[in-house]
Amino acid sequence: MHLFFQKHHRLLFYSSWLLLALAQAASTELIADEAYYWVYSRFPAWGYFDHPPMIAFIIKGGYAIFNNELGVRLVCALLSTFMILITESLIERKNPFLFYTIVLSIGVLQITGFLAVPDTPLLFFTALFFYTYRSFTKNTSWKNTLLLAVAISLLFYTKYHGLLIVMFTFLSNIKLFTRWRTWLAGFFVLLFYTPHLVWQWEHDWISFRYHLFESNVNAYRFSYTTDYLLGQILLAGPLAGLILLPAAFIYKVKNQTEKALKFTLIGIYLVFLVSSFRGKVEVNWTMPAIIPLIVLSHQFIIDKVSWVKPLKIISFVSLLLIIATRIYLVVDIGPDNSTKGRFRNKAWAKTIAEKTGETPVVFYNSYQRASLFWFYSGKQSHSHNSYSDRESNYNFWPTESNLLGKKVFIADIYGISSFSDSVKTKKGWVGISFDSMYAALGGIRMKIEQISMEIDSAYVTIKIIPQVPGEYQNFLRSHHDINGMLFIGIFKGKEIIKEFNLEITAQEIVKQQSPFSISIARRLPHGNYDIRLGIKAKNYLITHNSETLHVNF
C-alpha cells in the first residue's frame, strides 16, 4: 500500500481533489452569486454590467450537460483541478508532498474551488498565463507568442483584475518591450478582446465606469485597512497564511518566472492596500495572488526544514476546519444564523413559489434573490433596482420589459409591514404584494448630454436626451393612466442628500421624444456629489434611468 501511494501519489491527489470537488458541487445548493451568473448564461453576450463574459460561457457549457447545481459548477470544478496541476508545473525544484501540504492548507482553494464564480476560472487562467509566459521568455516563437496572447485574452475575459497580473509581470521584465513579438502578442490580445471592447463601447463603457468610479467608493474608515490586512492572512490560510506569506515575501527569486510571480504578489497586495483607503475592499479581490503565494512559499520552505513541521501542524488543523466547513455547507446542521441561511435557498424558493403560483415574482433591490428564485423555482424573475441602490444586469436584460402589463408579485425582505401579505420561509419572512399590472419604467434611459454650472449662477442646468425603447412607447401609449414621474436624486456616496420631483411625466417624455433641459438650485455645501435620474411609476421604488453623473458643487 505504501509503495502504491509513493508511486501513484499524484494520480491519487488530483483524482481525489476532482472527485471531492464534483461531489461538493452536486450536493451543495447554489450561493446567490452563482445563481446570478447562471442567469448571465441565459442571456449570452460579450459583456455584462459586473464582469466580462467568461463565467457565463463556462456555466452555459456545464449546464448543457447537467441541468442542476452540478451542471452550473462542472467546468469550474475541472478548472480548479487543472489550476493546481499547472501551478505545480511552475515550480522548478519540486517536493510534491510539500506542495500538497501547502495547497491543502489554503482553505479558499477547497471551499470555493468548486463554486461557479469568476474567481475560479481567474485562478486557472492566472496559472495558465504564467505557464505560457515562462515558455515565451525561453523561446519567443510564433507558437509561444500566440499561446501567450490567448492566455492573456482569456484572463481578460474572466475578470478585469487580469490586467494587474499582466502589468506587473511585464514590469518585472522591461526588456520584453524591446522584442517585436511582445508587441505582436499585444496586437493579438487586442484582436481577441475586440468583441468585449465593442460591447463596452455600445453600452457606454458601463462596466469600467462602475468599477472605477462607483464601486468601492466610501468615506474612509480605519477598519477598511485593518480588515483588508486581516482578510489577506485568513485568505492565505486561514492559519497557514502566518507561514506562507512571510515565506513568499522573503524568498529570493532565481529566474524570470519567479521574478514575475514576486512582482505580481507584491503588486496585487499593494494595489488593494491603497484601494482600502478609498473604500471597503472585498477579501477575494486578491485571489490571483494565491498562485505566486503557493509557488514562492514552496521554493522558500523546501530548503528550510525548521519551517516544515509547524506548516504540517497548521495544515492538519486547517484541514480539520475545512472538512467541518464542507460538511456544514452540505448538511443542515448547526445553529440558525446568517451564514446558514445562505444555504436554504431551495426550500426558500419553494415556499414563495407555492404562495405565488405561476405568477412571476419581482424582487426589490436584489439581483441575488431574484436569481436564486429563478433557478430553484424555474420561473423567470426580475430585480427592480432603486436608483438609491446599485444597478445590476437586470437593469439591462429584458426581464422588466417582458413583464410590462402583466400580473406580478412584488417581494422584499425589508419593510414587510408595507406589503399586503407575507410568507415565512426557511430564511425568514418575505413581504409580498400582488400587482395586477406591472408598470415599472426602468428601461427608459435618460442620457445626460451636458451639464452647465456657471460660477455666478444659483442653478445647475442639465441637458437630457430621452431614449425610449419601442416596447415602452407601445405600453405607455396603450395605458394613458400610467403617469410615471421623473425624479432627480443627488447623492453623497450611498446617502441621498436631495430629491426633486421634476413634474415631468413618462407620457410627456414619450410624446415629446426630443431633448430637454432641467435646472436645479445649487443649495448644497461645496463638495463632490453624484446625480441620477429616475422614474417613479405607481407606488414602486424609483428606478435607475440614467448613468451616474459626478459633479462638484
mmCIF file of all heavy atoms in Angstrom, residues 140-157:
data_model
loop_
_atom_site.group_PDB
_atom_site.id
_atom_site.type_symbol
_atom_site.label_atom_id
_atom_site.label_comp_id
_atom_site.label_asym_id
_atom_site.label_seq_id
_atom_site.Cartn_x
_atom_site.Cartn_y
_atom_site.Cartn_z
ATOM 1 N N THR A 140 10.779 32.931 -27.901
ATOM 2 C CA THR A 140 9.725 33.804 -28.446
ATOM 3 C C THR A 140 9.336 33.349 -29.854
ATOM 4 O O THR A 140 9.405 34.109 -30.824
ATOM 5 C CB THR A 140 10.192 35.267 -28.485
ATOM 6 O OG1 THR A 140 11.427 35.343 -29.205
ATOM 7 C CG2 THR A 140 10.362 35.831 -27.104
ATOM 8 N N SER A 141 8.918 32.113 -29.959
ATOM 9 C CA SER A 141 8.483 31.567 -31.245
ATOM 10 C C SER A 141 7.066 32.055 -31.557
ATOM 11 O O SER A 141 6.370 32.607 -30.695
ATOM 12 C CB SER A 141 8.504 30.040 -31.203
ATOM 13 O OG SER A 141 7.564 29.567 -30.244
ATOM 14 N N TRP A 142 6.653 31.823 -32.786
ATOM 15 C CA TRP A 142 5.280 32.187 -33.170
ATOM 16 C C TRP A 142 4.266 31.445 -32.303
ATOM 17 O O TRP A 142 3.261 32.011 -31.868
ATOM 18 C CB TRP A 142 5.058 31.854 -34.653
ATOM 19 C CG TRP A 142 5.540 32.927 -35.570
ATOM 20 C CD1 TRP A 142 6.765 32.999 -36.165
ATOM 21 C CD2 TRP A 142 4.814 34.081 -35.984
ATOM 22 N NE1 TRP A 142 6.857 34.135 -36.923
ATOM 23 C CE2 TRP A 142 5.666 34.821 -36.846
ATOM 24 C CE3 TRP A 142 3.540 34.566 -35.732
ATOM 25 C CZ2 TRP A 142 5.288 36.009 -37.436
ATOM 26 C CZ3 TRP A 142 3.146 35.757 -36.322
ATOM 27 C CH2 TRP A 142 4.003 36.472 -37.164
ATOM 28 N N LYS A 143 4.540 30.167 -32.068
ATOM 29 C CA LYS A 143 3.630 29.359 -31.264
ATOM 30 C C LYS A 143 3.484 29.927 -29.857
ATOM 31 O O LYS A 143 2.364 30.119 -29.359
ATOM 32 C CB LYS A 143 4.149 27.922 -31.206
ATOM 33 C CG LYS A 143 3.357 27.017 -30.270
ATOM 34 C CD LYS A 143 4.028 25.657 -30.132
ATOM 35 C CE LYS A 143 3.355 24.807 -29.070
ATOM 36 N NZ LYS A 143 4.043 23.503 -28.895
ATOM 37 N N ASN A 144 4.607 30.220 -29.209
ATOM 38 C CA ASN A 144 4.559 30.735 -27.844
ATOM 39 C C ASN A 144 3.967 32.137 -27.783
ATOM 40 O O ASN A 144 3.321 32.507 -26.789
ATOM 41 C CB ASN A 144 5.956 30.722 -27.220
ATOM 42 C CG ASN A 144 6.445 29.312 -26.929
ATOM 43 O OD1 ASN A 144 5.639 28.388 -26.801
ATOM 44 N ND2 ASN A 144 7.758 29.132 -26.836
ATOM 45 N N THR A 145 4.192 32.915 -28.830
ATOM 46 C CA THR A 145 3.602 34.252 -28.895
ATOM 47 C C THR A 145 2.088 34.172 -28.943
ATOM 48 O O THR A 145 1.381 34.888 -28.225
ATOM 49 C CB THR A 145 4.120 35.008 -30.135
ATOM 50 O OG1 THR A 145 5.547 35.118 -30.076
ATOM 51 C CG2 THR A 145 3.507 36.397 -30.220
ATOM 52 N N LEU A 146 1.590 33.281 -29.794
ATOM 53 C CA LEU A 146 0.147 33.128 -29.923
ATOM 54 C C LEU A 146 -0.473 32.557 -28.637
ATOM 55 O O LEU A 146 -1.531 33.024 -28.186
ATOM 56 C CB LEU A 146 -0.166 32.215 -31.102
ATOM 57 C CG LEU A 146 -1.647 32.010 -31.434
ATOM 58 C CD1 LEU A 146 -2.323 33.334 -31.755
ATOM 59 C CD2 LEU A 146 -1.818 31.033 -32.593
ATOM 60 N N LEU A 147 0.197 31.571 -28.034
ATOM 61 C CA LEU A 147 -0.326 30.980 -26.803
ATOM 62 C C LEU A 147 -0.361 31.993 -25.669
ATOM 63 O O LEU A 147 -1.303 32.008 -24.864
ATOM 64 C CB LEU A 147 0.519 29.765 -26.402
ATOM 65 C CG LEU A 147 0.383 28.531 -27.282
ATOM 66 C CD1 LEU A 147 1.358 27.440 -26.842
ATOM 67 C CD2 LEU A 147 -1.046 28.005 -27.264
ATOM 68 N N LEU A 148 0.662 32.840 -25.595
ATOM 69 C CA LEU A 148 0.668 33.891 -24.569
ATOM 70 C C LEU A 148 -0.497 34.845 -24.790
ATOM 71 O O LEU A 148 -1.188 35.229 -23.828
ATOM 72 C CB LEU A 148 1.993 34.659 -24.618
ATOM 73 C CG LEU A 148 2.120 35.821 -23.618
ATOM 74 C CD1 LEU A 148 2.136 35.304 -22.195
ATOM 75 C CD2 LEU A 148 3.385 36.644 -23.907
ATOM 76 N N ALA A 149 -0.733 35.226 -26.033
ATOM 77 C CA ALA A 149 -1.839 36.142 -26.348
ATOM 78 C C ALA A 149 -3.183 35.518 -25.999
ATOM 79 O O ALA A 149 -4.074 36.193 -25.461
ATOM 80 C CB ALA A 149 -1.794 36.519 -27.828
ATOM 81 N N VAL A 150 -3.341 34.233 -26.281
ATOM 82 C CA VAL A 150 -4.589 33.544 -25.951
ATOM 83 C C VAL A 150 -4.793 33.526 -24.445
ATOM 84 O O VAL A 150 -5.892 33.794 -23.939
ATOM 85 C CB VAL A 150 -4.579 32.107 -26.519
ATOM 86 C CG1 VAL A 150 -5.748 31.304 -25.965
ATOM 87 C CG2 VAL A 150 -4.633 32.133 -28.038
ATOM 88 N N ALA A 151 -3.730 33.203 -23.690
ATOM 89 C CA ALA A 151 -3.831 33.148 -22.227
ATOM 90 C C ALA A 151 -4.203 34.514 -21.649
ATOM 91 O O ALA A 151 -5.050 34.614 -20.753
ATOM 92 C CB ALA A 151 -2.518 32.657 -21.624
ATOM 93 N N ILE A 152 -3.579 35.570 -22.157
ATOM 94 C CA ILE A 152 -3.892 36.923 -21.675
ATOM 95 C C ILE A 152 -5.336 37.282 -22.007
ATOM 96 O O ILE A 152 -6.056 37.845 -21.164
ATOM 97 C CB ILE A 152 -2.920 37.952 -22.291
ATOM 98 C CG1 ILE A 152 -1.497 37.711 -21.778
ATOM 99 C CG2 ILE A 152 -3.363 39.383 -21.955
ATOM 100 C CD1 ILE A 152 -0.450 38.589 -22.445
ATOM 101 N N SER A 153 -5.764 36.955 -23.201
ATOM 102 C CA SER A 153 -7.137 37.274 -23.612
ATOM 103 C C SER A 153 -8.152 36.553 -22.731
ATOM 104 O O SER A 153 -9.138 37.145 -22.291
ATOM 105 C CB SER A 153 -7.345 36.883 -25.082
ATOM 106 O OG SER A 153 -6.443 37.564 -25.922
ATOM 107 N N LEU A 154 -7.898 35.267 -22.474
ATOM 108 C CA LEU A 154 -8.809 34.505 -21.618
ATOM 109 C C LEU A 154 -8.822 35.071 -20.207
ATOM 110 O O LEU A 154 -9.868 35.110 -19.548
ATOM 111 C CB LEU A 154 -8.395 33.032 -21.597
ATOM 112 C CG LEU A 154 -8.559 32.275 -22.926
ATOM 113 C CD1 LEU A 154 -7.930 30.889 -22.840
ATOM 114 C CD2 LEU A 154 -10.027 32.170 -23.304
ATOM 115 N N LEU A 155 -7.675 35.523 -19.748
ATOM 116 C CA LEU A 155 -7.580 36.161 -18.431
ATOM 117 C C LEU A 155 -8.426 37.421 -18.390
ATOM 118 O O LEU A 155 -9.187 37.665 -17.443
ATOM 119 C CB LEU A 155 -6.111 36.488 -18.159
ATOM 120 C CG LEU A 155 -5.688 36.868 -16.740
ATOM 121 C CD1 LEU A 155 -6.047 35.791 -15.738
ATOM 122 C CD2 LEU A 155 -4.178 37.128 -16.726
ATOM 123 N N PHE A 156 -8.334 38.244 -19.449
ATOM 124 C CA PHE A 156 -9.107 39.481 -19.525
ATOM 125 C C PHE A 156 -10.606 39.216 -19.664
ATOM 126 O O PHE A 156 -11.426 39.989 -19.188
ATOM 127 C CB PHE A 156 -8.633 40.334 -20.702
ATOM 128 C CG PHE A 156 -7.282 40.971 -20.491
ATOM 129 C CD1 PHE A 156 -6.682 41.711 -21.499
ATOM 130 C CD2 PHE A 156 -6.615 40.838 -19.285
ATOM 131 C CE1 PHE A 156 -5.443 42.310 -21.311
ATOM 132 C CE2 PHE A 156 -5.371 41.435 -19.087
ATOM 133 C CZ PHE A 156 -4.779 42.164 -20.103
ATOM 134 N N TYR A 157 -10.947 38.119 -20.325
ATOM 135 C CA TYR A 157 -12.365 37.765 -20.484
ATOM 136 C C TYR A 157 -12.975 37.217 -19.189
ATOM 137 O O TYR A 157 -14.189 37.039 -19.103
ATOM 138 C CB TYR A 157 -12.534 36.726 -21.593
ATOM 139 C CG TYR A 157 -12.768 37.315 -22.965
ATOM 140 C CD1 TYR A 157 -11.822 37.174 -23.977
ATOM 141 C CD2 TYR A 157 -13.935 38.021 -23.249
ATOM 142 C CE1 TYR A 157 -12.026 37.714 -25.239
ATOM 143 C CE2 TYR A 157 -14.153 38.562 -24.503
ATOM 144 C CZ TYR A 157 -13.202 38.412 -25.496
ATOM 145 O OH TYR A 157 -13.421 38.963 -26.744
#
